[in-house]
Amino acid sequence: MSQVSVLYNDQETKVDPGTKAAALIKTLVPEEERKKIIAARIDGRAIDLSTPVTGDSKIEFISSDSPEGLNILRHSTSHVMAAAVRKLFPGTKVAIGPSIESGFYYDFDKKTPFIPEDLQAIEAEMKKIIKAGEPYVREEISSEKAVELFEEMGEDYKVELIRDLNVPTVSIYRTGDFVDLCYGPHIPSTSYIKVFKLLTIAGAYWRGSEENAMLQRLYGTAFLTKEELDDHLFKLEEAARRDHRKLGKDLDLYSMHEVAGAGLAFWHPNGGRIRRIIEEFWYDEHYKRGYEVVYSPHIARVNLWKTSGHWDFYRENMYSPMEVEGQEYLVKPMNCPFHIIIYNTKKRSYRELPYRVAEMGTVYRYERSGVLHGLLRVRGFTQDDAHIFCTPEQLKKEMLNCVDLAFFLMRTFGFEEYEVNLATRSESYIGTDEEWDMAESTLAEALTEHGIPFIKDEGGATFYGPKIDIKLKDALGRLWQGPTIQFDFNLPRRFDTNYVGPDGKEHLVYMVHRAVLGSLERFFGCLIEHYAGAFPLWLAPVQAKMIPVTDRQIPYAEKVQEELKKAGFRVEIDGRNEKVGFKIREAQLAKIPYMVIVGPVEEESGNIGVRHRKQGDIGKMNIEDFIARMKEEVESKAIL
RNA sequence: GCUGGGGUAGCUCAGUAGGUAGAGCACAUCCUUGGUAAGGAUGAGGUCGGCAGUUCGAUCCUGCUCCCCAGCUCCA
């Protein structure tokens, strides 16, 4: 029999046809790398190591420490979990069990709910399976036979999956006596699983549709080493430590109240301070960049919402109408119709475009109770909204300006990493293909010219226009929805929003919606988590806490406070009858940037003792120097 | 909205086989005047989420409801 050629790392090797991928490892891969190999790729297709090479091909090996390898390992672990569940809870049906971002899950249909103690029992059972080193045996069988097989086992969900696949053959994997419909690939045997942990129990709809049965989902994760697992668990704890709902309470930033209703935020004085600073910075920056600030009402007659299309397309997110003197009014879920009303108050010339109006507009949207989440998902929120009305020729420049503003603001708040998405038209959309082509390519050009790499989200646009979404990466590497810039073909048509061009004729205006912070509530929540509550000096609600050593220094502390206040700083005195250490501890826990200690020594020499929340005691300095230091820190918006 | 888990003092939580509850921190008063992450004593503080039902009696059992948490689905 003639040999086939295998290409690995551009090196050609001749092998007998039918040689398994695993057998090639020894001849092709240096010894120190072999141990980590868990799967392979032939001509780009991921396969098991037990797969034979049948013809001339290019081979690559997948190492367990690559992202792809880790996914395979986790997916394989999910099979072990399913096997354990089936053994411990006979009669439980299995649905699907993929690997996900940081682990894996498997969905089960079980009569009674899982309880937390079940997880331990399942883990113990999994350990047995892992110890037994069961191989993952792949088999290709006809769909017919597969249906028979899974029907016999009572695995209705698998049967449904096979029927929907509608292909002649499917692959199944056997691990011990557990059989699963699976595309693969898998690790060679369960002994390849090193460390894993089951994390949570949750509900999930079969195939993600709320029309379907609710299944029980078990989440878990797997890693190569215990250190990596511990690191992951530590990150989860760290995320919990930074949770804005906890910090919001601890730092007295905001609250929510059962008596007021779900999803409605109350900004406390500390949160209010931060919000005002953000808002003032935002207004200044907008005026600098040629925006005008407007204010609009919170309610409007239902007719307006019929014209805008919200009544037809957005009603499930809007609150029921209220009747006022026989007229129905609706609370606004968006600001755009109001800004259009302002634009439409007179005939506009191309000479006055672009017309940019910005508003911190508070809107209310009905959100299903289950989706509410602290400040990140609420029912009433203030958008940092703006609408730009321009000519087609101006569109690109306006997009660039928006992107520029977005990045400027985000960087100022300390976000350095982003993911940019360009969402293009979906199946149903309004407007013509030419318009969409133009808008989509303009958005793409704006990003490209700015040297901003982006991901194309095909079909991700709303029905009324394409958009750019910017996601922020926070201090823990989590992504948050940040700025969004959306093009709108719809509203100008509906409101007949136009301008008179140089040709003396009326043209439909081009309209851009954009929000940079998104909503103040969500952005604030995100900021809290990003800084873990330790706001930089320019944002900190209390910038310095005066700590008199004894109550005899209170008058001196008041004198210093006066000077600091005069210089424009937010300073409080802790005049309580407590020891210095105690007051420092409290100020530290309140994450106040500076503590100013004044005792007899300082009073006598007319200076202050300064302590920074992160650097600790930074020694004595005179008041002017401290003011200069803080000024510099505030003006540069430094993140310390 | 759905599945599961919850709601006890301002906060974090314990507790009651059904007989109206407790700790630590915070708060108040007093003692202490103390130098870079917790000094001491005393005290006040609760419709045990809300409404109904069962019961001689409900924080505890039942039903409904509101709110919160983990997900699913959906979004700024």
Side-chain angles (χ1 to χ4, degrees):
Chain A
M1 198 162 33
S2 64
Q3 292 197 309
V4 296
S5 129
V6 170
L7 196 65
Y8 175 72
N9 275 354
D10 296 328
Q11 299 266 333
E12 202 180 315
T13 314
K14 294 278 184 192
V15 300
D16 292 329
T19 304
K20 289 181 175 175
L24 293 168
I25 297 176
K26 249 187 209 163
T27 51
L28 300 176
V29 183
E31 189 164 0
E32 61 275 17
E33 289 171 32
R34 285 179 206 161
K35 253 176 56 191
K36 287 184 177 165
I37 292 173
I38 57 165
R41 216 177 289 125
I42 287 182
D43 296 329
R45 196 170 65 88
I47 53 140
D48 298 318
L49 289 181
S50 57
T51 307
V53 178
T54 51
D56 291 350
S57 49
K58 184 173 174 246
I59 192 162
E60 296 159 89
F61 292 106
I62 299 171
S63 160
S64 57
D65 54 7
S66 69
E68 192 183 3
L70 195 55
N71 280 340
I72 292 170
L73 180 75
R74 286 168 172 170
H75 179 200
S76 296
T77 312
S78 83
H79 277 225
V80 173
M81 179 168 77
V85 167
R86 275 202 57 118
K87 185 151 193 197
L88 292 174
F89 308 97
T92 301
K93 293 172 189 173
V94 301
I96 55 162
S99 70
I100 49 170
E101 172 99 28
S102 60
F104 61 85
Y105 68 78
Y106 215 114
D107 286 345
F108 301 98
D109 183 356
K110 177 170 167 283
K111 297 274 177 301
T112 54
F114 285 110
I115 53 170
E117 290 78 74
D118 291 340
L119 293 185
Q120 281 148 40
I122 297 165
E123 278 188 1
E125 189 60 36
M126 288 171 71
K127 280 181 183 149
K128 281 190 215 161
I129 298 170
I130 290 166
K131 205 170 170 199
E134 302 280 3
Y136 288 80
V137 184
R138 182 190 174 94
E139 240 179 89
E140 300 224 0
I141 58 173
S142 71
S143 288
E144 251 168 75
K145 272 183 87 177
V147 166
E148 250 172 61
L149 175 72
F150 285 109
E151 259 175 359
E152 211 172 283
M153 291 190 292
E155 294 289 9
D156 309 339
Y157 297 97
K158 295 294 178 193
V159 171
E160 189 182 325
L161 286 174
I162 298 164
R163 293 218 161 106
D164 283 7
L165 274 174
N166 196 21
V167 290
T169 61
V170 295
S171 57
I172 58 169
Y173 277 83
R174 294 179 188 273
T175 322
D177 47 16
F178 176 68
V179 193
D180 201 351
L181 171 76
C182 187
Y183 189 78
H186 278 287
I187 53 179
S189 94
T190 56
S191 63
Y192 280 65
I193 299 167
K194 298 303 172 202
V195 286
F196 72 94
K197 189 170 172 61
L198 303 190
L199 298 169
T200 50
I201 307 164
Y205 297 108
W206 166 235
R207 298 190 142 184
S209 165
E210 59 193 30
E211 311 281 303
N212 293 337
M214 176 64 77
L215 307 173
Q216 294 186 66
R217 176 172 297 179
L218 301 184
Y219 283 93
T221 191
F223 286 94
L224 298 177
T225 64
K226 184 163 185 308
E227 288 69 41
E228 286 167 297
L229 175 65
D230 289 345
D231 186 57
H232 176 72
L233 296 177
F234 178 78
K235 271 199 184 131
L236 291 179
E237 279 168 33
E238 175 66 12
R241 206 175 63 74
R242 286 170 177 256
D243 194 313
H244 75 281
R245 292 166 299 182
K246 178 176 164 38
L247 288 172
K249 204 179 276 176
D250 291 350
L251 304 178
D252 199 9
L253 299 171
Y254 79 96
S255 58
M256 313 271 248
H257 300 275
E258 184 178 338
V259 56
L264 302 170
F266 290 72
W267 296 65
H268 293 200
N270 283 339
R273 274 281 189 191
I274 296 170
R275 175 165 170 166
R276 283 301 298 162
I277 297 161
I278 295 172
E279 286 174 347
E280 278 158 26
F281 171 55
W282 186 92
Y283 283 122
D284 286 351
E285 203 52 42
H286 279 72
Y287 276 127
K288 271 188 210 163
R289 290 169 185 255
Y291 286 83
E292 287 301 325
V293 171
V294 298
Y295 295 88
S296 60
H298 286 198
I299 59 171
R301 286 169 60 184
V302 73
N303 268 357
L304 176 72
W305 304 105
K306 283 182 179 163
T307 304
S308 70
H310 289 89
W311 185 248
D312 289 326
F313 299 113
Y314 205 69
R315 201 181 329 178
E316 74 257 28
N317 285 295
M318 295 167 74
Y319 291 100
S320 314
M322 58 186 116
E323 203 215 272
V324 182
E325 293 184 339
Q327 294 289 335
E328 288 193 319
Y329 285 74
L330 287 167
V331 176
K332 68 172 168 184
M334 292 188 193
N335 304 301
C336 17
F338 295 111
H339 292 180
I340 289 180
I341 285 177
I342 293 172
Y343 179 93
N344 278 354
T345 49
K346 55 183 180 176
K347 193 169 274 224
R348 304 284 177 180
S349 155
Y350 73 97
R351 293 175 187 278
E352 55 186 305
L353 301 185
Y355 185 74
R356 310 182 190 94
V357 283
E359 175 176 12
M360 288 279 185
T362 304
V363 298
Y364 291 85
R365 297 182 187 171
Y366 166 72
E367 299 284 354
R368 299 159 98 191
S369 58
V371 306
L372 300 173
H373 184 92
L375 289 176
L376 301 181
R377 191 75 181 273
V378 291
R379 286 182 173 157
F381 55 97
T382 301
Q383 288 186 301
D384 71 313
D385 213 355
H387 294 93
I388 298 164
F389 302 89
C390 64
T391 67
E393 296 74 38
Q394 293 167 331
L395 183 62
K396 188 157 134 197
K397 184 149 179 272
E398 290 308 305
M399 299 310 296
L400 279 171
N401 289 344
C402 287
V403 170
D404 191 67
L405 173 63
F407 279 87
F408 171 72
L409 289 182
M410 291 307 109
R411 285 205 182 95
T412 306
F413 285 106
F415 297 100
E416 296 293 343
E417 284 186 77
Y418 313 91
E419 189 182 297
V420 180
N421 287 287
L422 171 58
T424 59
R425 81 199 90 168
S426 55
E427 274 149 40
S428 63
Y429 54 91
I430 73 131
T432 65
D433 278 319
E434 293 76 55
E435 285 173 325
W436 277 80
D437 287 341
M438 199 283 288
E440 285 172 10
S441 60
T442 305
L443 296 189
E445 277 168 34
L447 290 172
T448 310
E449 280 176 32
H450 241 55
I452 297 161
F454 61 92
I455 300 163
K456 233 182 186 180
D457 176 11
E458 304 279 0
T462 52
F463 72 94
Y464 56 78
K467 61 174 177 175
I468 294 171
D469 277 330
I470 301 176
K471 294 192 170 86
L472 318 172
K473 221 177 231 184
D474 78 357
L476 293 187
R478 298 170 298 181
L479 288 175
W480 303 75
Q481 172 61 49
T484 175
I485 305 165
Q486 315 193 346
F487 189 78
D488 189 337
F489 292 114
N490 183 42
L491 289 177
R493 279 203 175 82
R494 287 177 166 269
F495 282 94
D496 193 20
T497 306
N498 50 44
Y499 64 94
V500 179
D503 56 3
K505 291 188 187 134
E506 288 192 342
H507 302 272
L508 209 57
V509 79
Y510 273 51
M511 180 178 181
V512 176
H513 308 248
R514 47 107 289 195
V516 179
L517 310 177
S519 85
L520 286 172
E521 284 74 9
R522 179 178 284 182
F523 186 69
F524 186 40
C526 173
L527 264 194
I528 295 169
E529 305 215 357
H530 182 56
Y531 292 127
F535 294 98
L537 193 67
W538 74 286
L539 290 171
V542 177
Q543 296 171 306
K545 186 75 117 179
M546 304 279 316
I547 299 177
V549 174
T550 79
D551 52 18
R552 285 189 296 276
Q553 283 82 48
I554 289 180
Y556 178 62
E558 282 168 347
K559 208 187 106 210
V560 176
Q561 183 194 31
E562 215 33 59
E563 281 189 57
L564 293 173
K565 275 189 163 174
K566 237 187 264 167
F569 296 110
R570 303 180 284 277
V571 185
E572 286 178 357
I573 298 179
D574 187 347
R576 291 177 304 169
N577 182 8
E578 295 290 350
K579 293 190 175 184
V580 178
F582 181 84
K583 293 182 189 177
I584 285 174
R585 178 183 155 80
E586 297 235 316
Q588 189 75 41
L589 291 176
K591 300 175 193 275
I592 294 165
Y594 286 103
M595 286 153 256
V596 177
I597 288 92
V598 289
V601 187
E602 286 81 4
E603 181 167 13
E604 205 157 302
S605 48
N607 60 16
I608 53 176
V610 179
R611 183 190 167 93
H612 185 263
R613 68 178 167 206
K614 284 191 185 135
Q615 295 153 20
D617 189 355
I618 50 179
K620 305 207 187 312
M621 57 178 82
N622 57 52
I623 298 158
E624 298 74 57
D625 289 347
F626 182 56
I627 287 174
R629 180 191 170 109
M630 293 227 291
K631 269 216 165 105
E632 151 64 23
E633 200 175 323
V634 166
E635 271 159 24
S636 65
K637 299 190 171 61
I639 295 158
L640 291 180

